[in-house]
Amino acid sequence: MELCVALDMPTFEANMDLAKKLRDKNIWLKVGLRSYIRDGEKIVKELKDINPNFKIFLDLKIYDIPNTMADAAESMANLGVDMFNVHASSGKVAMREVMSRVSNMKKTPLVLAVTALTSFDEENFRMIYNESLNKKTTQFAKDAYESGLNGVVCSAYESNIIKSNTDENFITLTPGIRLEKSNDDQKRVATVEFAKKEKSNIIVVGRPIYNSKNPLHVVEEILTDLTHYKHT
């Protein structure tokens, strides 16, 4: 299991300061909507300048008509990012077009499909999709798998179910990881230990790290936990 640190700080400078503190760590860094809209492709370049081995996850959750999604995918791949995501609800045609466009590029990033945002609880998800979380996220994951994507974004609660319906090597990236009980807009949150139990491949941790007085120490503790779980 790998760690992905969310760079969702209020300023470009704050994101860079955090990245510099973590420059020696073997981690993923997530660049989301807030940071990318504000800072543009500069943030990707600057992060690679800090450490060329940083793995960059561009979390823009692309959702549009198939050709527009494929154009966007090509542009993201050309930035040199290591992974990006699209919405699974865009459908198989769109996801296959995305994969067709990026698969022959010199550097092909990993492509994940967003199943259900971790801010959804069962009631609110059903109001929109008229289906249970487990059933619909599994279907979204199967669509992504059959479309040739590398994995999905899901909560830790769906990770193992998704793998059992696709493939053990199908990547599950799980946001909403908390180190202790929290009260925020994320509903389907989980601990590192639970994510490991549910076979998550990459965990995304944001607020517990960047809201800490010592973010480097928090990251080191998480990485130590990951090493422990790897050998248990």
Side-chain angles (χ1 to χ4, degrees), residues 199-217:
K199 301 181 181 179
S200 172
N201 297 103
I202 305 171
I203 56 170
V204 180
V205 186
R207 295 172 216 191
I209 293 172
Y210 59 72
N211 287 338
S212 168
K213 292 180 180 178
N214 191 342
L216 176 59
H217 177 68

Side-chain angles (χ1 to χ4, degrees), residues 125-150:
F125 184 85
R126 192 179 287 272
M127 285 176 63
I128 295 174
Y129 293 98
N130 197 32
E131 192 60 87
S132 71
L133 268 164
N134 276 350
K135 187 172 182 180
K136 195 63 180 177
T137 55
T138 299
Q139 184 58 59
F140 279 150
K142 289 170 71 174
D143 289 346
Y145 178 71
E146 292 167 3
S147 300
L149 274 70
N150 304 104

Side-chain angles (χ1 to χ4, degrees), residues 84-171:
F84 66 83
N85 57 4
V86 302
H87 266 286
S89 55
S90 63
K92 286 185 175 181
V93 172
M95 289 190 284
R96 285 171 177 163
E97 192 151 342
V98 164
M99 295 310 295
S100 175
R101 186 72 67 88
V102 302
S103 60
N104 293 320
M105 297 185 70
K106 185 176 181 180
K107 178 185 177 183
T108 303
L110 296 172
V111 184
L112 307 185
V114 177
T115 55
L117 300 175
T118 49
S119 57
F120 275 121
D121 57 18
E122 185 71 44
E123 179 184 0
N124 286 293
F125 184 85
R126 192 179 287 272
M127 285 176 63
I128 295 174
Y129 293 98
N130 197 32
E131 192 60 87
S132 71
L133 268 164
N134 276 350
K135 187 172 182 180
K136 195 63 180 177
T137 55
T138 299
Q139 184 58 59
F140 279 150
K142 289 170 71 174
D143 289 346
Y145 178 71
E146 292 167 3
S147 300
L149 274 70
N150 304 104
V152 292
V153 181
C154 62
S155 85
Y157 295 93
E158 295 97 42
S159 177
N160 197 23
I161 297 170
I162 285 170
K163 285 182 179 293
S164 65
N165 281 274
T166 55
D167 187 277
E168 284 294 312
N169 295 318
F170 195 55
I171 297 168

Side-chain angles (χ1 to χ4, degrees), residues 3-232:
L3 172 63
C4 179
V5 177
L7 295 179
D8 292 327
M9 305 288 278
T11 66
F12 172 80
E13 290 75 17
N15 277 336
M16 292 301 107
D17 183 58
L18 178 58
K20 287 173 184 175
K21 290 175 181 174
L22 307 178
R23 71 192 327 149
D24 297 325
K25 304 303 176 186
N26 181 23
I27 56 175
W28 287 85
L29 296 177
K30 182 178 83 71
V31 176
L33 279 171
R34 181 192 201 186
S35 294
Y36 192 76
I37 288 173
R38 182 189 61 224
D39 305 321
E41 61 185 81
K42 171 180 75 169
I43 189 171
V44 176
K45 179 183 182 300
E46 293 286 342
L47 290 172
K48 289 290 190 179
D49 285 345
I50 292 172
N51 180 354
N53 294 318
F54 273 151
K55 293 165 285 188
I56 309 298
F57 168 34
L58 189 56
D59 177 26
L60 302 184
K61 303 179 179 71
I62 302 302
Y63 194 161
D64 213 303
I65 62 173
N67 187 65
T68 300
M69 286 180 64
D71 287 343
E74 183 177 354
S75 294
M76 288 188 289
N78 282 330
L79 291 175
V81 300
D82 302 278
M83 180 165 64
F84 66 83
N85 57 4
V86 302
H87 266 286
S89 55
S90 63
K92 286 185 175 181
V93 172
M95 289 190 284
R96 285 171 177 163
E97 192 151 342
V98 164
M99 295 310 295
S100 175
R101 186 72 67 88
V102 302
S103 60
N104 293 320
M105 297 185 70
K106 185 176 181 180
K107 178 185 177 183
T108 303
L110 296 172
V111 184
L112 307 185
V114 177
T115 55
L117 300 175
T118 49
S119 57
F120 275 121
D121 57 18
E122 185 71 44
E123 179 184 0
N124 286 293
F125 184 85
R126 192 179 287 272
M127 285 176 63
I128 295 174
Y129 293 98
N130 197 32
E131 192 60 87
S132 71
L133 268 164
N134 276 350
K135 187 172 182 180
K136 195 63 180 177
T137 55
T138 299
Q139 184 58 59
F140 279 150
K142 289 170 71 174
D143 289 346
Y145 178 71
E146 292 167 3
S147 300
L149 274 70
N150 304 104
V152 292
V153 181
C154 62
S155 85
Y157 295 93
E158 295 97 42
S159 177
N160 197 23
I161 297 170
I162 285 170
K163 285 182 179 293
S164 65
N165 281 274
T166 55
D167 187 277
E168 284 294 312
N169 295 318
F170 195 55
I171 297 168
T172 53
L173 178 143
T174 56
I177 301 299
R178 297 291 184 260
L179 308 184
E180 56 188 24
K181 189 174 181 180
S182 63
N183 183 23
D184 53 47
D185 59 340
Q186 298 278 47
K187 303 302 182 185
R188 298 184 339 277
V189 299
T191 63
V192 175
E193 184 177 6
F194 183 81
K196 178 62 178 177
K197 175 176 171 288
E198 294 300 307
K199 301 181 181 179
S200 172
N201 297 103
I202 305 171
I203 56 170
V204 180
V205 186
R207 295 172 216 191
I209 293 172
Y210 59 72
N211 287 338
S212 168
K213 292 180 180 178
N214 191 342
L216 176 59
H217 177 68
V218 176
V219 167
E220 288 174 338
E221 282 195 327
I222 295 172
L223 292 175
T224 298
D225 284 346
L226 296 187
T227 302
H228 168 74
Y229 297 135
K230 184 177 180 180
H231 294 97
T232 57

